[in-house]
Amino acid sequence: MSYEFHKVGQSTAYNKKYLVNVITYNFRSPKHLYLVEIEQYRDKTFIIKYFLKKHKKNKHKYNLLSKEFKCRQVVLTVINILYEVLSKHKCCNFGFMGANTTDHSGKELESKDNTKRYRVYRKLVEDRVGPDTFTHYMSDKGSYYLLVHNKHVDVTKVKDQIVEMFRDEFPQLGLLNVICSN
Amino acid sequence: MSLINKKPLQSRGFGKVGGTMSKPKTNASSIVLVRRTPEDLAKSRRSVYPYLIP
């Protein structure tokens, strides 16, 4: 159902306001080698990113399709990595976004809202991650998903802090005016 | 007078002349991060197997 994965590196981020370090894992599917980068931000917030190793230097690496049709296995492997990170860092939060698909030249093949990646990730997170450990937040607009650990005293406050942090760190993502319900 | 000054204002980066300012492509203010209740999650969940993370 999922692939065996390995931790291959960890690098500390210097001169970054919020980014603490980047943990790298890899795993192999029948056709490709994948890299998974777990970016650790302030307040134990982890952002999960993955791409094909051969696309590492491509600026559209998150937007390209592998055309291997092993999406479920790949995403379940990434969720297993999330589980390993959670077992090492108690009380941490996770976030991801579903990038829109482009071709190699960067031409957008779908909009950034409710992308097909986001729909697949959301479904698999629903299947694998329950409501007892994390509070789930999502936005179809922009294709964002956030898991805030329920051990925080004030989950809503933590969520607001995370949004504030990413609003500051990534103004280009359009998070400038995110309205949070609850 | 140089040729460049004869170009319409719009082509010299002054935006649409006589019209309203162009709006941003994404209406970012409409992005809403929605909290999902356990009931919502249970309703949309398809798997019958236990959660990996409860």
Side-chain angles (χ1 to χ4, degrees), chain A residues 50-62:
Chain A
Y50 74 91
F51 48 87
L52 293 183
K53 192 185 177 189
K54 69 176 183 180
H55 292 155
K56 189 177 179 181
K57 293 187 178 175
N58 190 318
K59 66 177 180 178
H60 306 295
K61 59 188 170 186
Y62 303 115

mmCIF file with all atom_site columns, all heavy atoms in Angstrom, chain A residues 50-62:
data_model
loop_
_atom_site.group_PDB
_atom_site.id
_atom_site.type_symbol
_atom_site.label_atom_id
_atom_site.label_alt_id
_atom_site.label_comp_id
_atom_site.label_asym_id
_atom_site.label_entity_id
_atom_site.label_seq_id
_atom_site.pdbx_PDB_ins_code
_atom_site.Cartn_x
_atom_site.Cartn_y
_atom_site.Cartn_z
_atom_site.occupancy
_atom_site.B_iso_or_equiv
_atom_site.pdbx_formal_charge
_atom_site.auth_seq_id
_atom_site.auth_comp_id
_atom_site.auth_asym_id
_atom_site.auth_atom_id
_atom_site.pdbx_PDB_model_num
ATOM 1   N N   . TYR A 1 50 ? 6.767  17.376 -1.327  1.00 0.00 ? 50 TYR A N   1
ATOM 2   C CA  . TYR A 1 50 ? 7.465  16.267 -1.978  1.00 0.00 ? 50 TYR A CA  1
ATOM 3   C C   . TYR A 1 50 ? 7.485  16.465 -3.490  1.00 0.00 ? 50 TYR A C   1
ATOM 4   O O   . TYR A 1 50 ? 6.653  17.176 -4.047  1.00 0.00 ? 50 TYR A O   1
ATOM 5   C CB  . TYR A 1 50 ? 6.872  14.915 -1.583  1.00 0.00 ? 50 TYR A CB  1
ATOM 6   C CG  . TYR A 1 50 ? 5.544  14.575 -2.212  1.00 0.00 ? 50 TYR A CG  1
ATOM 7   C CD1 . TYR A 1 50 ? 5.483  13.886 -3.421  1.00 0.00 ? 50 TYR A CD1 1
ATOM 8   C CD2 . TYR A 1 50 ? 4.351  14.920 -1.593  1.00 0.00 ? 50 TYR A CD2 1
ATOM 9   C CE1 . TYR A 1 50 ? 4.269  13.568 -4.001  1.00 0.00 ? 50 TYR A CE1 1
ATOM 10  C CE2 . TYR A 1 50 ? 3.143  14.609 -2.166  1.00 0.00 ? 50 TYR A CE2 1
ATOM 11  C CZ  . TYR A 1 50 ? 3.107  13.936 -3.362  1.00 0.00 ? 50 TYR A CZ  1
ATOM 12  O OH  . TYR A 1 50 ? 1.902  13.628 -3.940  1.00 0.00 ? 50 TYR A OH  1
ATOM 13  N N   . PHE A 1 51 ? 8.463  15.815 -4.107  1.00 0.00 ? 51 PHE A N   1
ATOM 14  C CA  . PHE A 1 51 ? 8.648  15.959 -5.557  1.00 0.00 ? 51 PHE A CA  1
ATOM 15  C C   . PHE A 1 51 ? 9.561  14.843 -6.025  1.00 0.00 ? 51 PHE A C   1
ATOM 16  O O   . PHE A 1 51 ? 10.199 14.161 -5.213  1.00 0.00 ? 51 PHE A O   1
ATOM 17  C CB  . PHE A 1 51 ? 9.251  17.339 -5.894  1.00 0.00 ? 51 PHE A CB  1
ATOM 18  C CG  . PHE A 1 51 ? 10.437 17.707 -5.059  1.00 0.00 ? 51 PHE A CG  1
ATOM 19  C CD1 . PHE A 1 51 ? 11.711 17.317 -5.420  1.00 0.00 ? 51 PHE A CD1 1
ATOM 20  C CD2 . PHE A 1 51 ? 10.284 18.421 -3.867  1.00 0.00 ? 51 PHE A CD2 1
ATOM 21  C CE1 . PHE A 1 51 ? 12.804 17.629 -4.639  1.00 0.00 ? 51 PHE A CE1 1
ATOM 22  C CE2 . PHE A 1 51 ? 11.370 18.744 -3.078  1.00 0.00 ? 51 PHE A CE2 1
ATOM 23  C CZ  . PHE A 1 51 ? 12.632 18.339 -3.470  1.00 0.00 ? 51 PHE A CZ  1
ATOM 24  N N   . LEU A 1 52 ? 9.632  14.676 -7.330  1.00 0.00 ? 52 LEU A N   1
ATOM 25  C CA  . LEU A 1 52 ? 10.546 13.680 -7.892  1.00 0.00 ? 52 LEU A CA  1
ATOM 26  C C   . LEU A 1 52 ? 11.976 14.193 -7.796  1.00 0.00 ? 52 LEU A C   1
ATOM 27  O O   . LEU A 1 52 ? 12.217 15.378 -8.025  1.00 0.00 ? 52 LEU A O   1
ATOM 28  C CB  . LEU A 1 52 ? 10.226 13.416 -9.366  1.00 0.00 ? 52 LEU A CB  1
ATOM 29  C CG  . LEU A 1 52 ? 8.905  12.751 -9.707  1.00 0.00 ? 52 LEU A CG  1
ATOM 30  C CD1 . LEU A 1 52 ? 8.830  12.518 -11.219 1.00 0.00 ? 52 LEU A CD1 1
ATOM 31  C CD2 . LEU A 1 52 ? 8.739  11.441 -8.983  1.00 0.00 ? 52 LEU A CD2 1
ATOM 32  N N   . LYS A 1 53 ? 12.885 13.301 -7.465  1.00 0.00 ? 53 LYS A N   1
ATOM 33  C CA  . LYS A 1 53 ? 14.278 13.737 -7.341  1.00 0.00 ? 53 LYS A CA  1
ATOM 34  C C   . LYS A 1 53 ? 14.786 14.330 -8.653  1.00 0.00 ? 53 LYS A C   1
ATOM 35  O O   . LYS A 1 53 ? 15.533 15.304 -8.662  1.00 0.00 ? 53 LYS A O   1
ATOM 36  C CB  . LYS A 1 53 ? 15.161 12.569 -6.913  1.00 0.00 ? 53 LYS A CB  1
ATOM 37  C CG  . LYS A 1 53 ? 16.536 13.036 -6.499  1.00 0.00 ? 53 LYS A CG  1
ATOM 38  C CD  . LYS A 1 53 ? 17.482 11.946 -6.179  1.00 0.00 ? 53 LYS A CD  1
ATOM 39  C CE  . LYS A 1 53 ? 18.842 12.552 -5.849  1.00 0.00 ? 53 LYS A CE  1
ATOM 40  N NZ  . LYS A 1 53 ? 19.870 11.522 -5.726  1.00 0.00 ? 53 LYS A NZ  1
ATOM 41  N N   . LYS A 1 54 ? 14.333 13.756 -9.763  1.00 0.00 ? 54 LYS A N   1
ATOM 42  C CA  . LYS A 1 54 ? 14.827 14.262 -11.057 1.00 0.00 ? 54 LYS A CA  1
ATOM 43  C C   . LYS A 1 54 ? 14.318 15.683 -11.345 1.00 0.00 ? 54 LYS A C   1
ATOM 44  O O   . LYS A 1 54 ? 14.844 16.360 -12.213 1.00 0.00 ? 54 LYS A O   1
ATOM 45  C CB  . LYS A 1 54 ? 14.453 13.311 -12.200 1.00 0.00 ? 54 LYS A CB  1
ATOM 46  C CG  . LYS A 1 54 ? 12.981 13.245 -12.534 1.00 0.00 ? 54 LYS A CG  1
ATOM 47  C CD  . LYS A 1 54 ? 12.764 12.347 -13.738 1.00 0.00 ? 54 LYS A CD  1
ATOM 48  C CE  . LYS A 1 54 ? 11.283 12.343 -14.126 1.00 0.00 ? 54 LYS A CE  1
ATOM 49  N NZ  . LYS A 1 54 ? 11.007 11.485 -15.278 1.00 0.00 ? 54 LYS A NZ  1
ATOM 50  N N   . HIS A 1 55 ? 13.270 16.116 -10.616 1.00 0.00 ? 55 HIS A N   1
ATOM 51  C CA  . HIS A 1 55 ? 12.757 17.473 -10.784 1.00 0.00 ? 55 HIS A CA  1
ATOM 52  C C   . HIS A 1 55 ? 13.291 18.443 -9.731  1.00 0.00 ? 55 HIS A C   1
ATOM 53  O O   . HIS A 1 55 ? 12.803 19.559 -9.612  1.00 0.00 ? 55 HIS A O   1
ATOM 54  C CB  . HIS A 1 55 ? 11.219 17.485 -10.709 1.00 0.00 ? 55 HIS A CB  1
ATOM 55  C CG  . HIS A 1 55 ? 10.567 16.804 -11.859 1.00 0.00 ? 55 HIS A CG  1
ATOM 56  N ND1 . HIS A 1 55 ? 9.302  16.256 -11.770 1.00 0.00 ? 55 HIS A ND1 1
ATOM 57  C CD2 . HIS A 1 55 ? 10.992 16.557 -13.122 1.00 0.00 ? 55 HIS A CD2 1
ATOM 58  C CE1 . HIS A 1 55 ? 8.984  15.719 -12.925 1.00 0.00 ? 55 HIS A CE1 1
ATOM 59  N NE2 . HIS A 1 55 ? 9.983  15.880 -13.764 1.00 0.00 ? 55 HIS A NE2 1
ATOM 60  N N   . LYS A 1 56 ? 14.289 17.999 -8.965  1.00 0.00 ? 56 LYS A N   1
ATOM 61  C CA  . LYS A 1 56 ? 14.750 18.780 -7.813  1.00 0.00 ? 56 LYS A CA  1
ATOM 62  C C   . LYS A 1 56 ? 15.105 20.224 -8.183  1.00 0.00 ? 56 LYS A C   1
ATOM 63  O O   . LYS A 1 56 ? 14.798 21.160 -7.437  1.00 0.00 ? 56 LYS A O   1
ATOM 64  C CB  . LYS A 1 56 ? 15.965 18.092 -7.182  1.00 0.00 ? 56 LYS A CB  1
ATOM 65  C CG  . LYS A 1 56 ? 16.387 18.692 -5.867  1.00 0.00 ? 56 LYS A CG  1
ATOM 66  C CD  . LYS A 1 56 ? 17.543 17.928 -5.254  1.00 0.00 ? 56 LYS A CD  1
ATOM 67  C CE  . LYS A 1 56 ? 17.942 18.579 -3.940  1.00 0.00 ? 56 LYS A CE  1
ATOM 68  N NZ  . LYS A 1 56 ? 19.084 17.894 -3.315  1.00 0.00 ? 56 LYS A NZ  1
ATOM 69  N N   . LYS A 1 57 ? 15.726 20.398 -9.324  1.00 0.00 ? 57 LYS A N   1
ATOM 70  C CA  . LYS A 1 57 ? 16.163 21.747 -9.704  1.00 0.00 ? 57 LYS A CA  1
ATOM 71  C C   . LYS A 1 57 ? 15.169 22.459 -10.610 1.00 0.00 ? 57 LYS A C   1
ATOM 72  O O   . LYS A 1 57 ? 15.439 23.564 -11.077 1.00 0.00 ? 57 LYS A O   1
ATOM 73  C CB  . LYS A 1 57 ? 17.543 21.673 -10.351 1.00 0.00 ? 57 LYS A CB  1
ATOM 74  C CG  . LYS A 1 57 ? 18.602 21.244 -9.347  1.00 0.00 ? 57 LYS A CG  1
ATOM 75  C CD  . LYS A 1 57 ? 19.992 21.308 -9.892  1.00 0.00 ? 57 LYS A CD  1
ATOM 76  C CE  . LYS A 1 57 ? 20.970 20.913 -8.798  1.00 0.00 ? 57 LYS A CE  1
ATOM 77  N NZ  . LYS A 1 57 ? 22.348 20.844 -9.302  1.00 0.00 ? 57 LYS A NZ  1
ATOM 78  N N   . ASN A 1 58 ? 14.044 21.815 -10.849 1.00 0.00 ? 58 ASN A N   1
ATOM 79  C CA  . ASN A 1 58 ? 13.017 22.437 -11.689 1.00 0.00 ? 58 ASN A CA  1
ATOM 80  C C   . ASN A 1 58 ? 12.165 23.367 -10.831 1.00 0.00 ? 58 ASN A C   1
ATOM 81  O O   . ASN A 1 58 ? 11.695 22.975 -9.761  1.00 0.00 ? 58 ASN A O   1
ATOM 82  C CB  . ASN A 1 58 ? 12.136 21.332 -12.293 1.00 0.00 ? 58 ASN A CB  1
ATOM 83  C CG  . ASN A 1 58 ? 11.212 21.854 -13.363 1.00 0.00 ? 58 ASN A CG  1
ATOM 84  O OD1 . ASN A 1 58 ? 10.611 22.919 -13.219 1.00 0.00 ? 58 ASN A OD1 1
ATOM 85  N ND2 . ASN A 1 58 ? 11.109 21.106 -14.448 1.00 0.00 ? 58 ASN A ND2 1
ATOM 86  N N   . LYS A 1 59 ? 11.957 24.591 -11.277 1.00 0.00 ? 59 LYS A N   1
ATOM 87  C CA  . LYS A 1 59 ? 11.198 25.524 -10.434 1.00 0.00 ? 59 LYS A CA  1
ATOM 88  C C   . LYS A 1 59 ? 9.717  25.164 -10.367 1.00 0.00 ? 59 LYS A C   1
ATOM 89  O O   . LYS A 1 59 ? 8.987  25.694 -9.538  1.00 0.00 ? 59 LYS A O   1
ATOM 90  C CB  . LYS A 1 59 ? 11.407 26.966 -10.888 1.00 0.00 ? 59 LYS A CB  1
ATOM 91  C CG  . LYS A 1 59 ? 10.854 27.322 -12.242 1.00 0.00 ? 59 LYS A CG  1
ATOM 92  C CD  . LYS A 1 59 ? 11.073 28.806 -12.500 1.00 0.00 ? 59 LYS A CD  1
ATOM 93  C CE  . LYS A 1 59 ? 10.534 29.196 -13.864 1.00 0.00 ? 59 LYS A CE  1
ATOM 94  N NZ  . LYS A 1 59 ? 10.691 30.620 -14.140 1.00 0.00 ? 59 LYS A NZ  1
ATOM 95  N N   . HIS A 1 60 ? 9.275  24.263 -11.223 1.00 0.00 ? 60 HIS A N   1
ATOM 96  C CA  . HIS A 1 60 ? 7.886  23.804 -11.175 1.00 0.00 ? 60 HIS A CA  1
ATOM 97  C C   . HIS A 1 60 ? 7.788  22.389 -10.593 1.00 0.00 ? 60 HIS A C   1
ATOM 98  O O   . HIS A 1 60 ? 6.854  21.647 -10.909 1.00 0.00 ? 60 HIS A O   1
ATOM 99  C CB  . HIS A 1 60 ? 7.273  23.833 -12.572 1.00 0.00 ? 60 HIS A CB  1
ATOM 100 C CG  . HIS A 1 60 ? 7.390  25.156 -13.244 1.00 0.00 ? 60 HIS A CG  1
ATOM 101 N ND1 . HIS A 1 60 ? 6.751  26.285 -12.774 1.00 0.00 ? 60 HIS A ND1 1
ATOM 102 C CD2 . HIS A 1 60 ? 8.101  25.561 -14.328 1.00 0.00 ? 60 HIS A CD2 1
ATOM 103 C CE1 . HIS A 1 60 ? 7.051  27.307 -13.549 1.00 0.00 ? 60 HIS A CE1 1
ATOM 104 N NE2 . HIS A 1 60 ? 7.873  26.907 -14.482 1.00 0.00 ? 60 HIS A NE2 1
ATOM 105 N N   . LYS A 1 61 ? 8.755  22.022 -9.729  1.00 0.00 ? 61 LYS A N   1
ATOM 106 C CA  . LYS A 1 61 ? 8.825  20.635 -9.255  1.00 0.00 ? 61 LYS A CA  1
ATOM 107 C C   . LYS A 1 61 ? 7.575  20.187 -8.509  1.00 0.00 ? 61 LYS A C   1
ATOM 108 O O   . LYS A 1 61 ? 7.233  19.016 -8.525  1.00 0.00 ? 61 LYS A O   1
ATOM 109 C CB  . LYS A 1 61 ? 10.057 20.439 -8.374  1.00 0.00 ? 61 LYS A CB  1
ATOM 110 C CG  . LYS A 1 61 ? 10.112 21.329 -7.156  1.00 0.00 ? 61 LYS A CG  1
ATOM 111 C CD  . LYS A 1 61 ? 11.460 21.193 -6.479  1.00 0.00 ? 61 LYS A CD  1
ATOM 112 C CE  . LYS A 1 61 ? 11.614 22.254 -5.406  1.00 0.00 ? 61 LYS A CE  1
ATOM 113 N NZ  . LYS A 1 61 ? 12.954 22.248 -4.837  1.00 0.00 ? 61 LYS A NZ  1
ATOM 114 N N   . TYR A 1 62 ? 6.884  21.134 -7.846  1.00 0.00 ? 62 TYR A N   1
ATOM 115 C CA  . TYR A 1 62 ? 5.677  20.759 -7.096  1.00 0.00 ? 62 TYR A CA  1
ATOM 116 C C   . TYR A 1 62 ? 4.452  20.686 -7.998  1.00 0.00 ? 62 TYR A C   1
ATOM 117 O O   . TYR A 1 62 ? 3.399  20.221 -7.579  1.00 0.00 ? 62 TYR A O   1
ATOM 118 C CB  . TYR A 1 62 ? 5.404  21.767 -5.978  1.00 0.00 ? 62 TYR A CB  1
ATOM 119 C CG  . TYR A 1 62 ? 6.553  21.929 -5.021  1.00 0.00 ? 62 TYR A CG  1
ATOM 120 C CD1 . TYR A 1 62 ? 7.231  23.139 -4.913  1.00 0.00 ? 62 TYR A CD1 1
ATOM 121 C CD2 . TYR A 1 62 ? 6.973  20.875 -4.216  1.00 0.00 ? 62 TYR A CD2 1
ATOM 122 C CE1 . TYR A 1 62 ? 8.290  23.289 -4.038  1.00 0.00 ? 62 TYR A CE1 1
ATOM 123 C CE2 . TYR A 1 62 ? 8.039  21.016 -3.346  1.00 0.00 ? 62 TYR A CE2 1
ATOM 124 C CZ  . TYR A 1 62 ? 8.686  22.236 -3.267  1.00 0.00 ? 62 TYR A CZ  1
ATOM 125 O OH  . TYR A 1 62 ? 9.742  22.370 -2.400  1.00 0.00 ? 62 TYR A OH  1
#
